[in-house]
C-alpha cells in the first residue's frame, strides 16, 4: 500500500506542487489558517488560547502550556508540546516536518522553527522537503532565533538571541551566531 502525501511529507520525500495529492496539503493549510486567524484576533484568556492551540495541533495540550498570541504556523497538526512550555508572541512554526517540544521549554518572541526546505535544483525549487525539529527538555530559545530543518536542540541548552541554528546542538551548551556555534558549556 502506498503512503499518502502526509506520510511522504513527514518522511522527508520531495513533495511537488504538481503531486496529485497536493490539494490535501492545501486543505490542511487552509484549516490551520482559519484557526490561526481566530487565535490571533481579539483577546482570548489562557484557557481559550490552549483550546484553540489544541484544535490546531489536534492534540490536547497540558494545562501548564502557555502561549502569547500572535502565533503563526503553516500546518499546525505536526506540533507536539510537553508540560510547562511557554511560547512568547510573534513566533512562526513551519511544522510540516514535525516539531516536538519537550517539557520545561522557554521560547522567546519572534522565534522561527522551520521544518521545510526547498531542493537546490532550480527545476525542483517549488517543491518542498520536510525534516523534523526536536527541542529537548529545559531548552531556552532566545528572541528572534531561527532553528532550521532537521535540527535537534539538546537538553538544557540555550539558543542566543538572533542565532541561526543549522546543526544539532549538544546538551548543556549555549550557541550563538550565524550559523550558530557553541560558545559556552553550561555547568550547574
Amino acid at each position: 500500500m502506498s503512503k499518502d502525501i502526509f506520510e511522504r511529507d513527514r518522511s522527508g520525500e520531495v513533495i511537488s506542487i504538481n503531486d496529485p495529492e497536493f490539494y490535501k496539503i492545501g486543505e490542511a493549510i487552509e484549516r490551520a489558517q482559519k484557526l490561526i486567524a481566530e487565535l490571533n484576533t481579539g483577546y482570548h484568556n489562557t484557557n481559550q488560547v490552549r483550546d484553540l492551540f489544541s484544535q490546531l495541533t489536534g492534540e490536547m495540550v497540558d494545562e501548564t502550556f502557555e502561549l502569547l498570541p500572535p502565533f503563526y504556523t503553516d500546518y499546525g497538526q505536526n506540533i507536539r508540546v510537553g508540560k510547562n512550555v511557554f511560547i512568547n508572541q510573534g513566533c512562526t512554526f513551519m511544522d510540516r516536518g514535525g516539531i516536538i517540544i519537550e517539557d520545561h521549554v522557554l521560547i522567546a518572541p519572534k522565534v522561527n522553527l522551520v521544518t521545510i526546505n526547498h531542493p537546490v535544483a532550480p527545476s525542483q525549487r517549488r517543491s518542498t522537503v520536510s525534516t523534523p525539529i526536536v527541542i529537548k527538555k529545559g531548552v531556552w530559545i532566545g528572541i528572534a532565533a531561527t532553528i532550521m530543518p532537521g535540527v535537534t536542540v539538546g537538553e538544557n541548552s540555550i539558543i542566543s538571541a538572533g542565532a541561526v541554528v543549522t546543526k544539532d546542538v549538544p546538551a548543556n551548551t549555549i550557541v550563538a551566531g550565524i550559523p550558530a556555534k557553541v560558545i559556552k558549556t553550561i555547568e550547574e
Side-chain angles (χ1 to χ4, degrees), residues 51-97:
D51 180 58
L52 287 165
F53 193 84
S54 294
Q55 288 179 52
L56 181 66
T57 64
E59 187 172 284
M60 286 300 297
V61 293
D62 191 77
E63 65 183 18
T64 60
F65 172 77
E66 292 184 69
L67 167 73
L68 293 181
F71 174 80
Y72 306 97
T73 187
D74 58 341
Y75 186 67
Q77 295 178 62
N78 289 335
I79 300 170
R80 296 294 174 261
V81 296
K83 296 177 181 176
N84 295 301
V85 169
F86 176 74
I87 301 171
N88 213 320
Q89 61 190 1
C91 293
T92 300
F93 291 8
M94 307 292 286
D95 69 297
R96 280 183 30 206

Side-chain angles (χ1 to χ4, degrees), residues 149-162:
V151 168
T152 295
V153 178
E155 193 169 311
N156 299 319
S157 290
I158 298 172
I159 309 300
S160 294

Side-chain angles (χ1 to χ4, degrees), residues 43-50:
Y43 172 78
H44 302 288
N45 67 35
T46 303
N47 289 331
Q48 291 168 324
V49 169
R50 274 191 211 109

Side-chain angles (χ1 to χ4, degrees), residues 7 32 35 37 56 80 94-95 101 106 113 158 187-188:
E7 292 170 304
L35 285 164
L56 181 66
R80 296 294 174 261
M94 307 292 286
D95 69 297
I101 301 170
L106 300 173
L113 303 182
I158 298 172
E187 296 180 25
E188 202 53 50

